Amino acid sequence: MTIRTELNPYLETLGLLYLSAHPEKASRSFLVSEANELGIDGDALYRKFGPVHKRYVSAFQKQWNHEEISAMDDFDFFFDTDDWIPSLLFVCGEHPHWFAPNGSPLQEEEIILAFVNQILTDRTVTKVPSLSELLSLLEQSGLSTALCWKMTLLLQSPLPRIRQLIAIVQASLSAYQHASETIALPLGKLLAAFPHTKYTISALEDSAVLTPVLVFPAMEAIVTDTSRTYGYVGLFVKDVYRMLEQARRTQQTLYLQTAVPCPNRSVSSAAVPQWYDSPPARCATSYICSHPKKH
């Protein structure tokens, strides 16, 4: 297994741009609420990652030229909605050469295949589909109508769209660099201990590649296609697992207490949820992100 020991600057920058366009998604109230919905103590989890994450996002936003960059062509196209972000993160995270200053020229076929294979859950295609084939694939994908429309627009003009995204990211990289330097000490400690959870490692193949993520600190996304497995794992996922286990044990204890009457003790009845060893699927903008696996 290959364990990357550095953040992916392009994926992090994309995430920071999204959070800067939607600052409410980085607020304590939103993040605590998201965790509470999963049965996790949101306040306790936020105390774990909140100080580092807040400094990270704030440092980016202070350095980011909001007026200039948000006015760039296609900024709204890429960053105005939630459902677009997971595919954008994973595709761009796996194609860092697109964003490198002296990278190889963009290839239209590579862009199309990267996004098409990201949305497919049952196979991998090696030939660019025709427009009618693409529309059929999108119709069968289960994606929202709005996301299918965006994907169609992107894949009809992949080179100009991705060039605009590259320009947005490159204009924001200095702000990302500033943000990562602001939290260099805690970040270094987190990266040195990555990956933190036995569940992630035990579930993956020896050939898998894991990349640490801070911008979405408790996300866990594992993608498997016909040739490889790769994952993006938040630097605070270990805390999510611990809290899920704690919640499971608490619920099981309550169940046993209510199942066996105990004199002089009153315990309200509690249903035992169907916990499992990996977090529930969430979108990448939430605490937890578990992208559907491809087989």
Side-chain angles (χ1 to χ4, degrees):
M1 184 179 300
T2 300
I3 308 295
R4 290 175 175 157
T5 57
E6 296 181 348
L7 299 177
N8 181 315
Y10 309 118
L11 181 145
E12 295 289 324
T13 301
L14 286 167
L16 287 165
L17 285 166
Y18 172 78
L19 292 180
S20 296
H22 303 272
E24 73 281 359
K25 296 297 179 71
S27 69
R28 177 179 181 133
S29 59
F30 174 81
L31 296 172
V32 168
S33 175
E34 288 287 289
N36 289 339
E37 287 183 12
L38 299 175
I40 297 172
D41 184 338
D43 285 312
L45 182 57
Y46 189 83
R47 285 194 295 271
K48 292 285 188 180
F49 76 79
V52 173
H53 189 256
K54 184 176 181 179
R55 285 176 60 201
Y56 182 52
V57 176
S58 296
F60 177 87
Q61 291 173 340
K62 288 178 181 178
Q63 193 77 7
W64 179 52
N65 190 330
H66 177 271
E67 290 187 6
E68 179 181 325
I69 296 175
S70 62
M72 294 177 70
D73 290 346
D74 282 341
F75 183 89
D76 289 342
F77 177 82
F78 287 110
F79 298 105
D80 66 347
T81 58
D82 288 356
D83 51 4
W84 179 243
I85 297 302
S87 291
L88 198 62
L89 290 177
F90 304 142
V91 170
C92 294
E94 290 302 297
H95 295 82
H97 55 282
W98 292 354
F99 300 89
N102 298 312
S104 56
L106 287 174
Q107 300 295 324
E108 181 173 289
E109 180 178 352
E110 181 183 25
I111 296 171
I112 295 173
L113 290 177
F115 279 94
V116 168
N117 283 314
Q118 184 60 45
I119 64 175
L120 293 176
T121 58
D122 57 349
R123 64 191 185 281
T124 299
V125 299
T126 58
K127 181 181 178 182
V128 173
S130 64
L131 179 58
S132 61
E133 290 171 334
L134 173 61
L135 294 176
S136 177
L137 289 172
L138 289 171
E139 184 178 354
Q140 299 169 30
S141 68
L143 300 177
S144 68
T145 301
L147 184 52
C148 285
W149 176 242
K150 276 198 171 186
M151 194 70 75
T152 302
L153 293 177
L154 170 64
L155 298 180
Q156 284 182 317
S157 304
L159 288 176
R161 294 281 187 182
I162 294 301
R163 283 178 181 141
Q164 286 298 331
L165 181 62
I166 291 169
I168 293 168
V169 169
Q170 289 181 341
S172 306
L173 280 175
S174 61
Y176 158 73
Q177 188 64 37
H178 170 74
S180 60
E181 290 172 355
T182 299
I183 55 160
L185 184 58
L187 177 59
K189 293 179 179 178
L190 290 166
L191 291 172
F194 181 80
H196 312 81
T197 169
K198 61 184 179 182
Y199 298 104
T200 300
I201 297 175
S202 62
L204 296 180
E205 306 168 356
D206 291 341
S207 60
V209 179
L210 289 185
T211 301
V213 177
L214 180 57
V215 64
F216 300 117
M219 73 178 279
E220 186 176 56
I222 308 299
V223 181
T224 300
D225 60 25
T226 56
S227 60
R228 65 196 182 106
T229 297
Y230 60 92
Y232 292 93
V233 180
L235 289 170
F236 289 86
V237 161
K238 67 181 188 304
D239 298 300
V240 176
Y241 277 108
R242 288 172 183 167
M243 291 182 179
L244 285 171
E245 287 186 339
Q246 182 179 3
R248 177 178 59 189
R249 288 195 297 269
T250 299
Q251 294 290 352
Q252 289 174 336
T253 299
L254 288 173
Y255 175 79
L256 291 173
Q257 289 172 341
T258 56
V260 180
C262 180
N264 305 319
R265 194 171 192 180
S266 176
V267 181
S268 61
S269 176
V272 180
Q274 299 299 311
W275 297 110
Y276 41 88
D277 286 337
S278 61
R282 306 288 289 179
C283 78
T285 55
S286 299
Y287 269 100
I288 298 171
C289 171
S290 218
H291 195 64
K293 292 184 179 181
K294 299 180 182 179
H295 300 287

